[in-house]
Amino acid sequence: MPTSLQGIGVSAGLVAGPVAKLAAPPALPAPRPVQDAAAEAAAARAALQAVTDDLFARSAAAADPVAKGVLEAQAMMAADPTLADAVAERIEGGVDGPHAVEEAFAGHRAQLESLGGYFAERVSDLDDVKMRVVCALLGLPMPGVPSPGHPFVLVAADLAPADTATLDPAEVLAILTERGGPTGHTAILAKQLGIPAVTACAGALALTDDQTVLVDGQTGLITPDPSDEQVAAAKERQAALAARRASSHGPGRTADGHPVRLLVNIGGPSDVQASGVPGAQGVGLFRTEFLFLDRQTAPTAAEQQELYAQVFAPFAGRAVIVRTLDVGADKPLPYLAQEAEENPALGVRGLRLGRVQPAVLEEQLAAIAAAARASDADVSVMAPMVSTAREAREFAEIARSHGIEKVGVMIEVPAAALLAEQVLAEVDFASIGTNDLAQYTMAADRMEGRLADLLDPWQPAVLALIQMVAAAGQKLGKSVGVCGEAASDPGLALVLAGMGVTSLSMSPGALADVRGTLAAHTLEDCQRLAAAAVGAPSAPDGRAAINAELIGVG
Ligand code: PEP
Ligand code: MG
C-alpha cells in the first residue's frame, strides 16, 4: 500500500477513521429459458414499481432539498412506462427477467449518453436504478451503505445518489470514491451534507475494511495508516476549520476589510428559500436553462415571468444576476429543435442561439424585464458564451431596449478574456465562467473525466486569463465576478480576490468556508498568493503552495 493516495478534494474537512466499504452490486445469474412470459413480465413490472415507490418514499423522507430532487428524478426514471414496456417486450422475445431489465436499461443508458453533457452525467443515476430493480427482482437485499456500528470512512467505486442522499453525517466521517468528479452528485450532495469527500482517487478500493485512513477533503490527499502525530495535527486543523466556519458571518471581506461580495449560483425557485439563500449577499448566477431542461414544449412568456418573479421575490434590495438561456452543447433544450452539430461545445450554444432563433432571447429578456419591474430585487442580466466586443454591444443594446439597466457578459471564451477591456467597455460588468474558460483555454472537454487535470482551474494559463479580465475591470472601474466552480475553492477564492475579482458566486454550501478563509487573510496576502499561483509551474504546484499556506493559518 503506498504511503498516500491522491484524489480530487470535493468537500472540505479533515478526518481520520476506519474504512467500511460499500458492497459491490450483485452479479446477474446465468441466462435461463422463459417458462411463463406473462408471469415473468408481471414480476418485472412489480419490481420496477417497488423501486419507484421506494425512491419516492426516500425522496419524501429526505430533509435536504437537493437530495429530495435527486431521489425524485431517480424515481421518475424507474416509473418511465417506456422502460417497463421495453422489459416486457424482451421477456416476450424469450429473455429472462433480470437480463431483460439489463438490456432495456442499456438502451435507455445509450440514449442518455448520446445526448451528452448534463444528460450523460445522469447515467450513474440510471445504473443505480437498474441495480435496484435487479435486486428487487431477484429478492436480494439492496447493497446499501454498511453499518459497522461505529463512525466510518465510506469507501466505494462510486456512490449512487440514492445512497449519498441518505447518509447520516454522524455515522459517515468521510466519503472516498475511486470514480466520480468534482461536479457529480456525490460531490454536490457531500458538500450539502457537510461530509468531507474525495473522489477520483485511484487505489481507494485497495484499502481494507477497518484500516484507518486520514482523509483531506480540501487537498484530496489520503493517508492510509496515519501516525498518531498525523492524526493529532489533522484534528487540530479540523478544529480550526470548524471554528472558522462557525465564526463566519456577514458580507464577504478580507481580514483588512477589502470587500468581496459572496453570491450564490441557483437554477430556479426551488433553490431559494423564503428569505433568499442564508448567508448570501445575492445571486451571482441564475442558470435559467435549468428551469426548462426537461420540458418538451416552450414555456410561455407569462410562465417565464412568473418563474423569474418567484426567484426575485426574496431578494429585495439584493443583487440577482440572471443569465439568459445557455443552451446547446451539454444542455440541449428538447423544445428548441437545434440542428445536430459535429462539435456542439464549439457550436451554436449560449448567446449564439440568437443567430438562428433571435425571438427566444427577445422573449426571455421581455419576461425578465417585466418580472424585475414588479420586484424590489436589484436585477441584472448577463449573456453566456460571448466571444467578441461586438456581441457584447449587441446583447447590451437588446437588453437595454427592454428596459434592463444593468447588463453584463460572461467571460468564458479565451477570445473575450484576451480582449476583456474592449468587451467590458460595452457593458456594466463581467462574470468569469471558469468551467468553460478552462475547457476552451485548455482545449479539453469539460465532460471528459480523463482530462480532469487539464480542466483544473488552477492551471496557470487559466489563471493568467482571469488575471487579465480582473485587471481590465479595475482599469475601467467595472465589477468582475467569478461564478464557475473555482469560486467555491477557498484557496482559489484568495487567489481570485488577490487578482482584483470583486465577487465570488458559488453553491450555498461553500459560502461559510470561503467567507471564513477570506476573513483570515489580508488583501496583501491574497495578492501574494495570486502571484504565486499564476507563476507556479503547474496546477498541482500552485494548489499545493496555496494549500500549504491555508494549513499554516489553520
Ligand atoms: C462556467 O462555465 O463556469 C459557468 C459558470 O457556466 P456553466 O457551468 O453553466 O456553463
Ligand atoms: Mg459556462
Side-chain angles (χ1 to χ4, degrees), residues 49 93 142 149 243 262 274 284 298 338 355 394 437-438 470-471 481 483 497 514 532 536:
Q49 188 61 50
M142 301 290 162
L262 298 181
Q338 287 173 268
R355 294 169 184 241
E394 287 172 358
L437 186 60
C483 62
V514 170

Side-chain angles (χ1 to χ4, degrees), residues 357-386:
Q357 304 198 44
V360 175
L361 179 63
E362 293 276 1
E363 189 171 89
Q364 185 180 26
L365 287 169
I368 296 168
R373 272 194 299 276
S375 116
D376 293 322
D378 173 16
V379 175
S380 50
V381 293
M382 68 179 177
M385 283 294 288
V386 170

Side-chain angles (χ1 to χ4, degrees), residues 75 82 134 243 269 327 334 467:
T82 62
V134 169
V327 298
Q467 194 168 38

Side-chain angles (χ1 to χ4, degrees), residues 285 287 323 326 331 410 412 433-436 446 483-484:
L285 170 63
R287 288 181 163 107
R323 178 173 75 182
D326 185 17
K331 290 174 288 193
M410 288 194 70
E412 41 190 357
T434 48
N435 308 336
D436 277 315
R446 68 189 266 188
C483 62

